[in-house]
């Protein structure tokens, strides 16, 4: 970057935000957490997963939204329709399904045996004659508003969502529309319980300023270089409460001579970054999407697409991967990561994938090993505010919008410009 086109607060300005310290309260306040429950998670459209997870008719999956005390049953019925219901039996409200996924035309409650179809209808009641006045039509499972968008299953826990999914996504929907998702049917899931507020871990995956410091041995020289020592962003964009950035990648990166294992794996991907699972040539359609590396820079490692409030869709040279940040209390989080990898067709490909996975999991461990320290520091109350630099503009944008939703009586107000 030439010295004369440097603007110290370029991304912050683009986000429509002012410089200056950012309050730490939303990261450590139990009272704020209650507002997040009702006004952020209780009113937003939330991504539950992809349609490939319930590909077959009568397949279903259960997802927990701890912050809202909701257990959600997502089904594909015999006609192929995807719907979400509360995973709660109508009889005496036992949790209906206990396994994370399954496939069956009838879903039976393990308490007294009431049975439901994958369309949510009540199908069977043992000794039904003794239930006087029971109307099966109104005793089906409680529906949750559901939309499928580009293969992503969204739900909204408001009985009548205040905003349509289309309006909720706004211009971010147009930005991401029609993206292809390679290997979407083959996720490798990594889940961790973390001792930090959900925004602490979301922040760790929304900036690259920390990379040369926390990850010197793993990705320190792929996400930074002598020409970009602190991993300054290549691009950032903001769409209402949603956000995007492109992170720098060192195009000169090559494994060192002594890194024989990586050299062997690298020869399979040749992307300038080992953060890639797909082979060169197999990702062309995906990489051609105008919103994958939209500036078409050669110095590119990956993009972050953050769907408000808690979903991070990452895109890189080898495909996509995702993070869910599920709050379980004001200072604990369930972090779910999914890496979507090709099905290996040869030993070489298998080797490359194993290398990729061990590398990304090593990076993940470096990130999540630090989050409890941040939370301890925040909760010490030593400081009122955090100092954020321009390349941390996504974090500033996150706090701004979470606070705005928490403070707004209506979703219309929360989403107003
Ligand atoms: S609670 Fe489900 S059958 Fe009784
Ligand atoms: Fe990191």
């Amino acid at each position: 970057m030439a010295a004369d086109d440097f603007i110290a607060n370029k991304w912050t300005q683009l986000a429509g935000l002012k410089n200056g310290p950012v309050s730490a309260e939303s990261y450590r306040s139990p009272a704020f957490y209650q507002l997040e429950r009702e006004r952020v998670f209780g009113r937003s459209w939330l991504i539950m997963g992809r349609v490939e997870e319930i590909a077959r008719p009568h397949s279903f999956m259960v997802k927990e939204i701890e912050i809202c005390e909701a257990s959600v049953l997502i089904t594909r019925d015999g006609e192929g329709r995807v719907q979400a219901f509360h995973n709660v039996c109508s009889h005496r409200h036992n949790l209906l399904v206990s396994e994370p996924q399954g496939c069956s035309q009838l879903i039976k409650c393990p308490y007294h045996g009431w049975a439901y179809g994958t369309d949510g209808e009540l199908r069977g009641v043992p000794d039904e004659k003794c239930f006087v006045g029971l109307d099966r039509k109104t005793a089906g499972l409680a529906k949750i508003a559901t939309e499928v968008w580009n293969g992503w299953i969204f739900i909204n826990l408001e009985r009548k969502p205040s905003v349509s999914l289309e309006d909720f996504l706004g211009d971010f929907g147009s930005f991401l529309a029609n993206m292809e998702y390679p290997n979407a049917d083959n996720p490798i899931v990594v889940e961790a319980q973390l001792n930090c507020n959900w925004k602490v871990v979301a922040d760790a995956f929304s900036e690259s300023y920390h990379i040369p410091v926390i990850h010197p041995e793993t990705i320190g020289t792929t996400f930074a270089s002598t020409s970009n020592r602190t991993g300054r962003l290549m691009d950032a964009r903001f769409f209402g409460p949603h956000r995007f950035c492109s992170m720098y990648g060192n195009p000169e990166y090559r494994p060192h001579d002594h890194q024989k294992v990586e050299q062997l794996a690298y020869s399979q991907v040749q992307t300038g970054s080992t953060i890639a699972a797909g082979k060169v040539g197999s990702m062309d359609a995906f990489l051609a999407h105008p919103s994958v590396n939209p500036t078409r820079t050669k110095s590119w490692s990956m993009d972050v697409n953050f769907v408000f409030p808690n979903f991070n869709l990452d895109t890189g040279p080898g495909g996509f991967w995702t993070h869910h940040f599920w709050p379980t209390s004001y200072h604990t989080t369930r972090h779910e990561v999914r890496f979507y990898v090709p099905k290996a067709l040869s030993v070489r490909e298998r080797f490359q994938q194993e290398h990729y996975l061990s590398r990304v999991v090593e990076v993940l461990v470096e990130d999540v090993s630090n989050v409890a320290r941040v939370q301890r520091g925040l909760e010490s109350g030593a400081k009122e505010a955090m100092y954020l630099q321009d390349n941390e503009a996504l974090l500033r944008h996150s706090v701004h919008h979470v606070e705005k939703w928490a403070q707004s009586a209506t979703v219309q107000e929360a989403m107003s410009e």
Side-chain angles (χ1 to χ4, degrees), residues 83-288:
Q83 294 180 81
F85 306 94
H86 286 280
N87 179 30
V88 174
C89 177
S90 307
H91 177 221
R92 274 171 42 209
H93 303 196
N94 187 31
L95 285 183
L96 185 60
V97 178
S98 45
E99 61 268 39
Q101 67 221 14
C103 187
S104 168
Q105 287 196 25
L106 276 186
I107 301 174
K108 220 182 209 188
C109 178
Y111 199 176
H112 311 91
W114 283 33
Y116 303 85
T118 46
D119 54 5
E121 302 283 319
L122 178 59
R123 292 278 151 72
V125 177
D127 209 5
E128 191 167 358
K129 284 202 180 83
C130 293
F131 284 94
V132 178
L134 173 69
D135 178 5
R136 280 201 191 190
K137 281 197 188 63
T138 55
L141 298 176
K143 270 192 184 158
I144 297 174
T146 315
E147 294 277 352
V148 175
W149 184 89
N150 281 226
W152 299 106
I153 303 167
F154 285 80
I155 64 143
N156 189 310
L157 290 170
E158 280 193 300
R159 270 182 212 282
K160 268 189 103 181
S162 304
V163 60
S164 67
L165 176 63
E166 192 184 350
D167 289 345
F168 176 76
L169 290 175
D171 291 341
F172 203 40
S174 321
F175 183 74
L176 293 174
N178 305 319
M179 194 175 277
E180 284 186 29
Y181 293 97
N183 311 310
D185 58 342
N186 197 30
I188 298 201
V189 187
V190 180
E191 187 173 314
Q193 311 286 342
L194 302 176
N195 289 320
C196 68
N197 181 274
W198 64 282
K199 295 186 291 302
V200 168
V201 56
D203 288 356
F205 295 96
S206 297
E207 51 90 358
S208 42
Y209 181 44
H210 72 277
I211 289 182
V213 186
I214 278 201
H215 307 291
E217 299 297 328
T218 48
I219 51 169
T221 51
T222 54
F223 281 67
S225 72
T226 48
S227 65
N228 186 354
R229 291 184 185 279
T230 54
R232 284 187 189 159
L233 299 179
M234 303 308 288
D235 191 18
R237 304 181 189 204
F238 303 91
F239 307 83
H242 317 290
R243 50 198 162 268
F244 165 89
C245 73
S246 276
M247 290 182 179
Y248 173 81
N250 175 7
E252 309 297 321
Y253 177 78
R254 299 288 178 277
H256 293 298
D257 280 347
H258 67 276
Q259 294 169 307
K260 299 289 183 218
V261 176
E262 185 172 333
Q263 275 182 350
L264 205 55
Y266 181 80
S267 67
Q268 290 289 296
V269 280
Q270 299 167 357
T271 53
S273 156
T274 48
I275 301 294
K279 274 203 310 187
V280 170
S282 70
M283 291 292 149
D284 291 354
F286 169 70
L287 295 173

